[in-house]
Amino acid sequence: MTTPGAKLKKRTLMVTHSSRALNGSISGLHQVNHSSRHTGSNVSRKGLSMAGDSRSTIQTPRQTVRVLNENGTDVTPQPISHPEPGAKHNRVYLDEFSGPSDILSMLYQPTTAASLTVPFSRSVFCSSKISRSSLSTIESVNEERVDTFYKQDNYPASYVQVEREEVKEQVTEDMLNEVVNIYLTETETITHLDMPGISVSVDADDAEAIKERNNRYAELCKNRMGNDKYMDRSMQAFIGASKSKQVQCDSIVMVDTACEATTWDMYDSFYGAEQDKTELTAEPEKSGYSESIVNSSRGPEKTTSLLSTTSIATSASSSQREIETGMCSDDAADPRLILQSEKFQKVLLVMERCILANIFQPKLAAYRQLPIVEDCDSVVTPETMEHREEDVERSLSPTLESLWVFSCELTKGRTISCMAWNKKNPDLLAVGYGEFDFRDQTPGLVCCWSLKNPTWPERVYHCNTGVTSLDFSAKHPYRLAVGMTDGTIAIYYVYSQDKTCAVSSSKCSKKHYSSTWQVKWAEQDMGLSGDDKEEALMSISADGRISKWFLHDDLDCVELMRLKRMQEEKDEMETEVKDKKKKGEILRSLNAGFCFDFHPVDSSIYLAGSIDGTIYKCSSSNSQQFLETYSQHFGPVTRIKWCPFNPNVFLSCSLDWTIKLWIQDQLTPLLCLTSTQKQVHDIMWSPKWATVFGAINEGQMKIWNLDYSTLDPVIVHMAAPGVKMTSLLFALQTDCVLVGDNSGQVTVYQIKNFTVGEGNQVDTLESIISSAVARL
Amino acid sequence: MAEVEETLKRIQSQKGVQGIIIVNSEGIPIKTTMDNSSTVQYVGLIHQLVMKARSTLRDLDPQNDLTFLRIRSKKNEIMIAPDKDYFLIVIQNPSD
């Protein structure tokens, strides 16, 4: 048994009690340190040491017991009651110490309020009298050496020392009932023998020696069996009684995460990384980090989680990229920026068209000659049913049905002077707004409408003066040529949102100084070889000149023809002109040109109509002479149109209320059509039927079918009261016709119940013409 | 900006348009012509639907993406133009 001092630990206190403390108490303080493992009589092999508690009435040991904390200060607890001087208590208790374990066990058995808990915790013993009889049983049990000091009131007689008697006398009832604190601590593990097994590699240097040793040992063991030198003896080793211990810790929060790795997710992760190179550098770090986090949080339990971790990582990375882009563009996701972005404007455009398609769906379907599907969800009232029935009954004769109207606030009150389809996109319509009266100097307007949006034009161009003529180029479908009342010609590029004209002729020195009445793009032979065709812009104006414009950096023109007034008779025309040349320049006023049209097949030949009713047939290669002159009209010729189906035939209309049908080589018209005594402003051949054409009188729109009758038009459509129709355009692929009027509206009509006779229209036209020729 | 405002006004004044909602990528309405509770309800539900639609399309072909979504119902039609930064939602009843 070692001295208590040797066992003294820094923080533990060897408690030595003077008997004095116990003198007056029946149940003194028992300070027993004892391993927490043993509740029974066995004391741990590890040894026991006394621990003192400051709360207990520890009497400061004299020699040995000092408690020092880490800093070396003496924190030995002071006893509550001081022992009488000269006490030899220490010694007493050393002697008493012989079988502390016995006493311990004695202590434990009659315990009434023993609470043994974890080491270093204080336990409270309240011991009552311990019978001596228990000693004997305990002795045999305990073999360990114990270093505990303890104090006990009722020591067995063998240990009783002189002071004991004192103790006995001073024990009172109160002291018996006192609460006793017993403090238990555990020493370090004391290792008696530690021989760890060593493994040596077979290839090691001393492997041989070790093998030999192993062999020798094995032999030794064999020999040992009968050898007297070696004796087998069994030892009882302590198998520590196990004790279950409960530990409380913060609950581990388990989180279940699941992820779907979708096809597009994987695609994004693979290819999206290639695309967003800027974010790639930031990405891998983040994704790596997230992966590690994910992996650690998962724990090793689920092996199936491996797949899901990767997918979590990738989705985390992709979603992180989204988050990142979201973060990067979070500043850009500022509402204003969103609203201003181009993409948003496009989206708005599409959305608007969708809405309008919903609204105009039946009309557009009729236009495109699709069957009109009734909206099954729309509420059908009895009134509408009646209307529909009436409509069905009435519409047997050819009529025009109004589909919709292109109009908006901008165009209200303006006169439509011209309309033109885009050559490439048949849904695009350019409409020019300008007053016919050139004295009226209100600024003109050009609107490009799309069929998909009849409520607002796609492009709006404001012009300085009224617009008289429009034409889209065939070769460059984005070029729109506009002729104006001040003679300027402007070219707009409609693909851009730019509101200004791309090119204008206002700076050209040879520009028209009077109204440009018509502009047209036509293909012209440019070079000497016949195949070289370039598109040039032609214009005819009230100053009597026909010009050909070239677009290089700026518009520049070449004069094609001057419309000279014809005052002499026709047969003398050529000589007349020659005479004039010989005689020198005689100033003549030129005939104002109103309209022209290029031959559909041979585009070098064109017809020009003038203000005095003369129609000139000219060639672009000959700028001095006319090929033919037709002067059968009495008023200004407002429109000339070649027949698209028959290259020899053309129509002309004029303000003298007549429409005349001509053959190219004949100087008198074949047919002269008059229906009402109103000025004819516009005519157009139908692109679909060879014998059909449309004409606009002032308040009426007429569709003529030469096959049906040459005296009366087939369809006569009255304009709304007060509204004058001014312009006509046939739709190219459907049987619709557009009419512009002077209130700024372009109405789209569908020709219904219109049947042309069977057989080829062209042939019919031929036959009509030949019969007409025969009649002449 | 003014053009955008004009276009929005025009859309709003078209026949049968009941409401226009513009939502940003976080689901917060930027601009709306409907009352708050309806807006919030529409936004929450439509967002999920668009995500599902987009996911479906891209699962079929990852190079494809959703550009426009129209839902025709008995009473009206909901048109949705989704984008990375925003959604544009228009509700129209064409037979009004």
Side-chain angles (χ1 to χ4, degrees):
Chain A
M1 227 181 282
T2 57
T3 60
K7 283 293 170 179
L8 183 65
K9 285 205 206 122
K10 225 182 180 184
R11 271 174 281 143
T12 62
L13 177 61
M14 303 281 283
V15 178
T16 59
H17 304 288
S18 64
S19 59
R20 181 64 59 92
L22 291 179
N23 286 344
S25 66
I26 297 167
S27 64
L29 286 169
H30 304 278
Q31 308 240 340
V32 174
N33 285 341
H34 140 94
S35 162
S36 63
R37 287 197 191 171
H38 294 276
T39 50
S41 51
N42 288 338
V43 180
S44 131
R45 186 162 63 95
K46 300 205 166 96
L48 307 166
S49 61
M50 291 267 272
D53 184 64
S54 55
R55 284 181 289 155
S56 65
T57 59
I58 297 165
Q59 301 169 15
T60 39
R62 283 153 197 80
Q63 312 94 306
T64 53
V65 181
R66 287 171 69 82
V67 178
L68 303 168
N69 69 0
E70 287 114 4
N71 296 334
T73 51
D74 186 4
V75 293
T76 52
Q78 302 293 321
I80 292 174
S81 63
H82 290 274
E84 286 164 8
K88 301 167 197 171
H89 305 290
N90 287 344
R91 217 171 259 209
V92 168
Y93 291 101
L94 272 169
D95 297 334
E96 290 164 6
F97 201 52
S98 60
S101 54
D102 314 342
I103 295 153
L104 275 178
S105 43
M106 282 187 333
L107 277 173
Y108 286 126
Q109 280 166 10
T111 56
T112 51
S115 58
L116 277 176
T117 54
V118 296
F120 313 108
S121 71
R122 310 305 183 188
S123 63
V124 176
F125 266 5
C126 189
S127 73
S128 53
K129 297 181 186 172
I130 296 171
S131 62
R132 276 189 208 185
S133 58
S134 58
L135 254 182
S136 54
T137 52
I138 293 155
E139 252 180 338
S140 59
V141 173
N142 205 336
E143 300 176 49
E144 300 289 334
R145 61 181 177 89
V146 185
D147 323 329
T148 52
F149 282 120
Y150 62 97
K151 213 169 182 187
Q152 192 187 352
D153 294 333
N154 307 330
Y155 249 71
S158 54
Y159 306 109
V160 170
Q161 298 291 317
V162 174
E163 291 82 353
R164 199 163 296 282
E165 289 154 14
E166 296 172 49
V167 171
K168 276 190 181 168
E169 287 165 18
Q170 289 166 13
V171 166
T172 61
E173 278 299 317
D174 290 332
M175 291 173 87
L176 270 176
N177 294 333
E178 248 180 65
V179 169
V180 177
N181 295 332
I182 296 183
Y183 304 96
L184 312 169
T185 52
E186 186 180 306
T187 58
E188 285 176 13
T189 306
I190 301 159
T191 311
H192 294 295
L193 176 68
D194 185 12
M195 275 186 71
I198 304 170
S199 299
V200 175
S201 161
V202 177
D203 299 328
D205 294 333
D206 49 355
E208 290 297 322
I210 289 170
K211 272 189 200 167
E212 235 187 86
R213 270 177 58 194
N214 286 351
N215 291 337
R216 266 191 281 137
Y217 184 71
E219 278 177 32
L220 191 69
C221 290
K222 277 189 222 159
N223 293 338
R224 222 181 39 172
M225 294 306 287
N227 201 334
D228 283 342
K229 270 191 181 177
Y230 298 88
M231 217 157 61
D232 269 333
R233 198 182 196 174
S234 49
M235 294 284 290
Q236 188 175 28
F238 259 111
I239 301 163
S242 67
K243 176 182 176 181
S244 70
K245 186 175 171 183
Q246 279 157 1
V247 178
Q248 192 175 33
C249 72
D250 287 339
S251 66
I252 299 170
V253 177
M254 303 284 282
V255 177
D256 267 334
T257 323
C259 176
E260 274 178 56
T262 55
T263 319
W264 55 268
D265 207 353
M266 293 192 277
Y267 177 85
D268 271 348
S269 316
F270 279 124
Y271 297 108
E274 289 172 9
Q275 287 161 15
D276 318 323
K277 296 251 163 126
T278 53
E279 293 165 328
L280 193 61
T281 50
E283 258 306 306
E285 300 155 12
K286 276 204 174 179
S287 59
Y289 178 68
S290 73
E291 272 188 58
S292 60
I293 289 293
V294 163
N295 282 330
S296 58
S297 68
R298 270 273 155 180
E301 318 122 32
K302 303 177 192 172
T303 52
T304 53
S305 68
L306 279 176
L307 278 172
S308 45
T309 46
T310 48
S311 65
I312 286 172
T314 49
S315 71
S317 69
S318 64
S319 58
Q320 265 184 356
R321 190 182 323 102
E322 282 171 18
I323 292 166
E324 257 196 321
T325 53
M327 290 309 287
C328 298
S329 61
D330 223 10
D331 312 315
D334 181 28
R336 276 193 212 157
L337 288 170
I338 291 179
L339 293 176
Q340 281 172 1
S341 68
E342 254 193 59
K343 265 179 113 181
F344 186 71
Q345 290 179 0
K346 281 189 196 165
V347 163
L348 273 181
L349 182 77
V350 172
M351 183 65 83
E352 197 180 354
R353 287 189 181 179
C354 279
I355 294 168
L356 288 164
N358 273 338
I359 298 170
F360 285 102
Q361 197 271 337
K363 314 289 186 189
L364 284 173
Y367 180 87
R368 305 224 191 253
Q369 296 175 318
L370 295 169
I372 301 172
V373 176
E374 289 267 330
D375 190 8
C376 46
D377 297 323
S378 66
V379 175
V380 178
T381 63
E383 295 165 359
T384 52
M385 285 300 291
E386 281 174 20
H387 280 307
R388 280 189 209 148
E389 284 168 11
E390 284 175 22
D391 284 342
V392 167
E393 287 168 13
R394 259 191 269 142
S395 58
L396 292 173
S397 57
T399 49
L400 292 177
E401 185 189 324
S402 164
L403 290 179
W404 72 85
V405 175
F406 284 112
S407 111
C408 69
E409 277 175 15
L410 284 178
T411 65
K412 265 191 199 155
R414 292 178 182 266
T415 310
I416 293 168
S417 53
C418 47
M419 297 186 285
W421 291 107
N422 187 303
K423 302 282 190 320
K424 192 162 179 211
N425 182 354
D427 285 347
L428 269 184
L429 175 73
V431 179
Y433 301 85
E435 308 300 322
F436 277 140
D437 193 357
F438 60 88
R439 286 164 291 188
D440 191 349
Q441 293 290 325
T442 51
L445 189 67
V446 176
C447 286
C448 290
W449 296 87
S450 163
L451 243 69
K452 294 166 189 163
N453 187 348
T455 59
W456 191 259
E458 303 292 320
R459 300 276 187 271
V460 176
Y461 301 112
H462 291 272
C463 305
N464 292 332
T465 51
V467 174
T468 54
S469 171
L470 285 178
D471 197 29
F472 270 108
S473 160
K475 226 177 178 184
H476 304 274
Y478 55 86
R479 286 192 193 162
L480 175 65
V482 179
M484 288 180 255
T485 49
D486 64 350
T488 330
I489 295 172
I491 297 182
Y492 289 89
Y493 291 166
V494 295
Y495 58 70
S496 70
Q497 293 274 0
D498 199 5
K499 303 236 170 165
T500 57
C501 69
V503 193
S504 168
S505 78
S506 44
K507 292 177 202 154
C508 175
S509 54
K510 290 182 262 177
K511 68 171 186 173
H512 295 294
Y513 43 84
S514 187
S515 302
T516 311
W517 282 112
Q518 191 162 357
V519 291
K520 203 168 177 68
W521 293 91
E523 280 195 357
Q524 295 287 302
D525 287 335
M526 292 308 290
L528 298 168
S529 60
D531 295 334
D532 196 11
K533 288 217 169 198
E534 216 186 80
E535 211 189 29
L537 178 65
M538 315 290 184
S539 68
I540 187 167
S541 97
D543 61 1
R545 286 187 298 156
I546 300 173
S547 307
K548 178 171 162 183
W549 298 82
F550 303 101
L551 181 63
H552 296 299
D553 293 322
D554 209 353
L555 275 179
D556 196 19
C557 77
V558 159
E559 205 179 274
L560 269 188
M561 182 60 75
R562 285 173 175 248
L563 299 175
K564 301 176 185 73
R565 282 190 186 275
M566 305 305 304
Q567 285 171 355
E568 309 296 323
E569 287 180 12
K570 271 185 302 182
D571 46 1
E572 286 181 331
M573 176 189 73
E574 289 186 12
T575 49
E576 156 88 29
V577 168
K578 281 178 195 165
D579 280 56
K580 291 287 178 297
K581 277 197 174 169
K582 285 177 201 166
K583 289 175 190 172
E585 297 272 336
I586 296 177
L587 209 61
R588 275 168 196 260
S589 62
L590 293 169
N591 212 349
F594 245 56
C595 54
F596 64 169
D597 196 18
F598 283 81
H599 196 275
V601 174
D602 181 5
S603 56
S604 61
I605 297 179
Y606 58 92
L607 292 165
S610 65
I611 202 165
D612 65 355
T614 329
I615 300 173
Y616 304 95
K617 181 164 120 179
C618 324
S619 163
S620 48
S621 49
N622 185 348
S623 62
Q624 298 298 323
Q625 290 175 337
F626 307 119
L627 296 177
E628 293 280 355
T629 320
Y630 311 86
S631 40
Q632 291 290 325
H633 275 290
F634 305 110
V637 180
T638 49
R639 199 67 73 187
I640 300 178
K641 284 275 157 90
W642 286 99
C643 176
F645 294 94
N646 191 329
N648 289 325
V649 176
F650 65 91
L651 270 178
S652 67
C653 71
S654 103
L655 298 180
D656 66 354
W657 312 334
T658 60
I659 303 169
K660 296 193 197 285
L661 179 75
W662 308 74
I663 289 194
Q664 215 184 103
D665 304 317
Q666 289 211 343
L667 297 176
T668 50
L670 278 180
L671 290 170
C672 178
L673 308 158
T674 322
S675 61
T676 49
Q677 295 171 345
K678 289 266 180 76
Q679 297 172 345
V680 186
H681 283 288
D682 202 354
I683 50 168
M684 187 172 170
W685 287 96
S686 160
K688 221 170 154 186
W689 301 294
T691 55
V692 177
F693 63 91
I696 292 218
N697 291 19
E698 265 181 34
Q700 293 167 5
M701 205 271 278
K702 298 181 184 167
I703 307 266
W704 294 80
N705 187 354
L706 293 173
D707 188 21
Y708 178 76
S709 157
T710 55
L711 296 175
D712 288 311
V714 175
I715 303 172
V716 176
H717 184 82
M718 304 295 294
V723 170
K724 282 194 209 169
M725 295 184 182
T726 53
S727 183
L728 174 75
L729 190 67
F730 271 91
L732 294 170
Q733 284 146 358
T734 78
D735 51 358
C736 292
V737 65
L738 282 76
V739 176
D741 56 23
N742 69 347
S743 66
Q745 294 188 341
V746 177
T747 319
V748 180
Y749 293 97
Q750 192 185 23
I751 305 168
K752 296 202 99 157
N753 303 315
F754 190 77
T755 47
V756 283
E758 290 172 12
N760 195 352
Q761 295 303 305
V762 182
D763 297 335
T764 326
L765 185 63
E766 287 275 353
S767 58
I768 294 168
I769 289 162
S770 47
S771 61
V773 167
R775 269 187 261 131
L776 282 174
Chain B
M1 193 64 194
E3 265 195 43
V4 167
E5 289 287 346
E6 247 186 67
T7 316
L8 282 171
K9 253 193 249 168
R10 276 210 312 276
I11 293 180
Q12 175 68 21
S13 62
Q14 295 291 352
K15 179 181 148 204
V17 171
Q18 288 171 347
I20 307 175
I21 305 171
I22 305 174
V23 197
N24 74 351
S25 52
E26 293 161 10
I28 303 168
I30 303 174
K31 225 180 191 339
T32 171
T33 61
M34 298 167 62
D35 57 282
N36 205 21
S37 56
S38 317
T39 305
V40 167
Q41 196 181 20
Y42 266 102
V43 164
L45 295 167
I46 285 178
H47 185 86
Q48 295 175 38
L49 181 66
V50 169
M51 287 299 136
K52 190 69 186 169
R54 190 180 258 152
S55 170
T56 309
L57 272 185
R58 298 204 69 208
D59 268 344
L60 294 167
D61 177 6
Q63 290 174 336
N64 206 355
D65 198 7
L66 181 67
T67 53
F68 208 86
L69 184 63
R70 280 170 95 156
I71 306 164
R72 187 81 176 90
S73 74
K74 268 197 220 167
K75 292 193 183 171
N76 52 22
E77 177 163 359
I78 305 173
M79 288 169 272
I80 305 154
D83 188 76
K84 199 176 61 171
D85 299 327
Y86 57 86
F87 281 14
L88 171 65
I89 303 167
V90 176
I91 303 121
Q92 185 195 17
N93 186 358
S95 52
D96 249 352

